[in-house]
Amino acid sequence: MTKKVHPYIPNMVPKVKEEMLKVIGVENSMELYSCIPEELQLQEEMNIPKALTEYELRRHIEGLLKKNISTNDYINFLGAGCWQHFVPAVCDEINQRSEFLTAYAGEPYEDHGRFQSLFEYQSLLAELVDMDVVNVPTFDWGQAAATSIRMAARINGRKKVLIAATVAPERTKIIANYGSPELEFSNIAFDLDTGLMDLDDLKSKISNEVAAIYFENPSYLGFIESQGNEISVIAKEHDVLLVVGVDPISLGVLAPPSHYGADIVCGDLQPLGMHMNYSGGQAGFIATRDEETFINEFPSRLFGIVPTIKEGEYGFGDVAYERTSFAQREKGKESVGTQTALWGITAGVYLSLLGPEGMYELGQTIMQNSQYTVKKLNKIAGIQGSRIVSPFFKEFIVDFNDTGISVQTINEMLLEKKIFGGKDLSKEFPEYGQCALFCVTEVHTKEDMDCLIEALEDIVTK
Amino acid sequence: MKPIIRTEATRDFHQAKWNEPIIFELHQEGEKGVEVPLANEEVVSTIGDGVSTIPASMSRKNRPNLPEIGQARVLRHYLRLSQETLGSDFNVEIGQGTCTMKYIPKINELLIRNPKMMDLHPLQEESTVQGMLEIIHNLDLCMREISGMGAFSFQPGGGTQALFAMASIVRKYHETRGEGDQRDEIITTIFSHPSQAATAVVKGYKVITLHPDENGFPDIEKLKGVVSERTAGFVVANPEDTGIFNSKIKEFTKIVHEAGGICYYDQANANGLLGITRAKEAGFDMCFFNLHKTFAAPHMCGGPATGALGVTEALKEYLPGPIVEYDGVKYSLNDNLQHSIGKVRAFHGVAQTILRSYAWIRALGPDGLREVAQTAVLNNNYLYHKVQKIRGASAPYVKGQRLEQVRYSWEQMASETGITTEDVQRRMTDFGLHYWTSHHPYIVPQPFTLEPTESYSKTDLDEYINALQQISDEAYNNPEIVKNAPYNSTIHQLVEEDYLDNPEKWCITWRMYQKKVLKPVLIK
């Protein structure tokens, strides 16, 4: 029986295959594997289901996906590192273009558009964070923070790192694994009621051996860390570098960390035009000043603008390529490889669409909607809308302790009412007891928020 | 009309050139790209402006200096830039060896844009993501069959991150056994991806790099000479980037195991091996596959991607968590792994890529996967025979024994004509073809690495060969043509050096360009 030619494998056509085998000078293609010893050759067939046609495949996968309930089906209040935001249609149109989707490592000539798009992304994000240099994106916020900290440690040659205890525990795990065994981490305490960094604790731990301080603003717990300037002054007294993580979607209304002394700024691009994709939308950025000592410590690619031999024409290339592991293997700075370039391009499209006013309006809407939700929550007996009293952006800790019901139970009951409740914090921050981190953005309508309020009223008064 | 008789060996091509300004130059005050959702009137009347709560020190004083551009113009700008980008959908992209630029099935792109995939939050309750977890678990089962490993994590966001995760597991494994300080060396080979060595150093290891013997094989005697009680791990690709399969690999892993080290396998070059040979039988403890290479997820200008990390049952507890498990009734996330290295990437990794690769495997089945491997090897050997006949080109090291790719050399052509592999690279773009030299350092002089995969027809391969042939002819007869290329690309030759390596002149962003280039001119 002749084998069916698979649509993805044109040279299965018997006549063509024979012709090619003849050129090579072998009888059949298995002869080409003579270099693999028999004991290493797989004898049995792999236990993988038989091939599906395109139509069957579609039915199969869509059948599986139907078992999911998405944030389109239920109202979602989960955030905690991956957030539901409005995605402009143009973002999707651009990032599904075949040209961008299937490009990879092309040269500045045939991939001029890719280079320009990423240069523009660097430039647009640089304006948002108000710093000069932004990299081609890395994997996610956790990786961006981990690398920012290692960059700081290389710049000043120190090994100790102080991390705010309010940093997202998931990111702390990434940072700790990425920094070990070289770096030594300790936490800086925070005030339970305000969320703010305990400056006395910071002062007691800082020394001339500390490489960097890392905190996030808005923090993982949603509050705005308002002591940026004070922290920066303390850091500078000891020549410690200040690394600040930021949710870029807040920067239409919040001051970028460069305005209160941050030396390296990092964060996640996912809010800027990426669907959540069960966490496939994450992408990390790192920003610094235009100083050689900083630029030379980036492991990432940095695209720069250059002239061509034709006047009036420009192209792009890799700035300071010799610092990378592509150029130097283990002598390069950390490592570079495939990370999240397409999300960089998409974030560039997003910022071009929103512009300065759009970013402001978006930040304002998020603040209004989230404050509205907290205000309404406060009216429910036993619920404190925001456990932390400081101003917040987008996320806040809802305190259920006085209801006598666990977050887990509340979330199960919310789920029955087609609502994804906030992230249960009882394991990550046991000091808060039964609290949950809720996220409210511009995608939430008044009806959505009222629906949550009604549902919770119903749950706690039952 | 005269009939078209196609006799040209190479394509008459010209890439799009739009001379599109930098996005900031499109600014027109007052224009708007999109309307963002605003708070409902009642919300506003309840709350007020919302932003007054921001402490003065944390309030942004000026709007960010972003351009204001109408929606159609933004779209047109990026569509034009996309046309100035040569994706693998458009060309016979066999020039990017080691990266397995194969066909990206369109059905998979349609499937990942299903809202029940796109709009899932990673922290949703398990009962609401059973379909997604089933896909992850099913892919895990397929990957176990393909590799012989015991469990997979799809958390790493690319090959580099998978290599880093494996180096982290090596460290954690030895630390758990009380040998963390003693075992401080990782052994690799020079014909492996730079990230193998680079990620080992990030994890605090001293790297020992083995160079090949005269036939291009990793040198087993050299390995014996460097293993010791300090050996923490051995990382290698097989075939290496030369396309040469090391048939003694099992002896290598045995030697390292006897010294107490862990063997981990970079399977970035696995496309010729599917259903043929596996990590387990070769004695590896861990391996990873690039889903965006061998398993047909797109490269997306360089990610997001997935390095699928597989380990033996014995190392399962070291994986980054959570991993997906199935009890016969429901799928769940297990984040209680006793020796877990923690996390390398947020949440669950790049779910779209997981879905794409699962769909690709299901479209092929076990026979199809073997057919992929055999055809990739057939295509490569066809190319290998043809390219070596081109004047000035050669394939150093042992004759034959190449699997899915070959690292070639233009050394002879360079010495006879002065045309280098970089010159060839630029000239290839004139034919609408991508060509990559190779990773540094250039152990093979004037290198280029071709990997034809299973996706291209004989006609496609011939088109690529013809272009190389023409460039060789030009190099020997009229080298200036090659030297001054490209001609049909979007842009002309870059004037690089000083603008990329001089801190006074480099411009990584538009604001730097304005400060360093534009402003001084305007002041004059």
Side-chain angles (χ1 to χ4, degrees), chain A residues 3 6 8 11-12 19-20 24 29 33 35 37 40-42 47-49 51-52 60 64-65 67-69 71-73 79 82 94-96 98-104 107 109-114 116 120 122-123 127-128 130 132 139-140 150 170 177-178 180-181 225 251 253 255 277-280 282 290 292 304-305 307-309 313-314 316 320 325 329-330 334-336 338-343 353 356-357 364-365 368 371 375 391 420 446, chain B residues 15 17 20-21 23 33 37 39 42 46-50 53 58 60 63-66 77 81-82 84-89 105-106 113 116 118-121 124 128-129 131-132 134 145 157 160 164 168 189 192 194-195 197-198 202-203 247 272 276-277 298-304 343 345-349 352 358 362-364 366 371 373-374 377 379 385 425 429 434 456-458 489 492-495 500 503 506-512 515-516:
Chain A
K3 282 191 226 165
H6 195 282
Y8 303 166
N11 285 343
M12 280 179 76
E19 212 180 308
M20 294 173 74
I24 300 167
S29 54
Y33 285 113
C35 54
L40 294 186
Q41 293 205 14
L42 188 63
N47 182 18
I48 288 172
L52 301 174
H60 169 63
L64 291 174
L65 291 177
K67 299 180 189 175
N68 295 334
I69 298 167
T71 56
N72 253 359
D73 305 316
C82 181
I94 296 303
N95 69 29
Q96 66 184 319
S98 263
E99 296 90 337
F100 285 142
L101 186 77
T102 66
Y104 192 30
E107 297 304 312
Y109 304 101
E110 78 265 22
D111 271 5
H112 179 71
R114 167 176 142 257
Q116 181 167 340
E120 291 181 350
Q122 293 169 183
S123 304
E127 295 303 336
L128 192 65
D130 206 3
D132 288 327
F139 300 104
D140 59 8
R150 287 197 79 128
E170 278 233 331
N177 181 52
Y178 198 75
S180 76
E225 173 53 81
L251 296 180
V253 294
N277 277 308
Y278 203 56
S279 75
Q282 315 309 125
D290 177 17
E292 199 182 347
I305 193 166
T308 75
I309 54 169
E313 191 180 71
Y314 52 74
F316 303 91
S325 64
R329 294 178 68 91
E330 70 269 24
E334 301 172 37
S335 59
V336 62
T338 300
Q339 299 184 336
T340 57
L342 191 60
W343 293 164
L353 288 167
E357 283 310 309
Q364 181 173 35
T365 305
Q368 287 167 322
Q371 286 169 27
K375 190 164 183 174
F420 296 126
K446 177 171 175 295
Chain B
Q15 194 168 15
K17 177 185 178 72
E20 202 42 21
I23 190 101
E42 271 183 69
T46 311
I47 292 302
D49 71 3
T53 61
M58 285 298 143
R60 186 163 193 146
R63 300 275 197 274
N65 185 28
L66 298 168
H77 176 71
L81 293 184
S82 79
E84 294 175 342
T85 304
L86 188 69
S88 73
D89 271 358
K106 287 298 149 189
R113 287 177 189 271
K116 283 183 179 288
M118 224 164 44
D119 297 331
L120 294 180
H121 190 284
Q124 278 180 226
T128 66
V129 287
M132 187 67 234
E134 188 172 343
E145 287 294 314
T160 297
F164 171 73
S168 303
T189 64
S192 57
S195 290
V202 173
K203 264 331 264 187
S247 56
I276 307 286
T277 186
H299 286 76
M300 301 198 265
C301 290
K343 287 199 83 73
R345 193 186 197 280
F347 306 108
H348 316 293
Q352 316 88 296
Y358 174 62
R362 293 305 311 273
L364 285 151
E371 207 58 59
Q374 290 177 33
V377 172
N379 287 354
H385 274 74
Q425 180 171 53
T429 68
H434 171 63
Y456 295 101
S457 70
K458 178 176 168 295
S489 190
H492 297 80
Q493 263 187 41
L494 300 178
V495 181
L500 295 174
W506 63 35
C507 298
I508 298 163
T509 51
W510 184 242
R511 56 160 59 191
M512 284 166 80
K515 270 182 225 164
K516 292 182 183 178

Side-chain angles (χ1 to χ4, degrees), chain B residues 61-72:
Chain B
K61 302 294 180 281
N62 304 307
R63 300 275 197 274
N65 185 28
L66 298 168
E68 295 173 80
I69 313 166
Q71 190 170 111

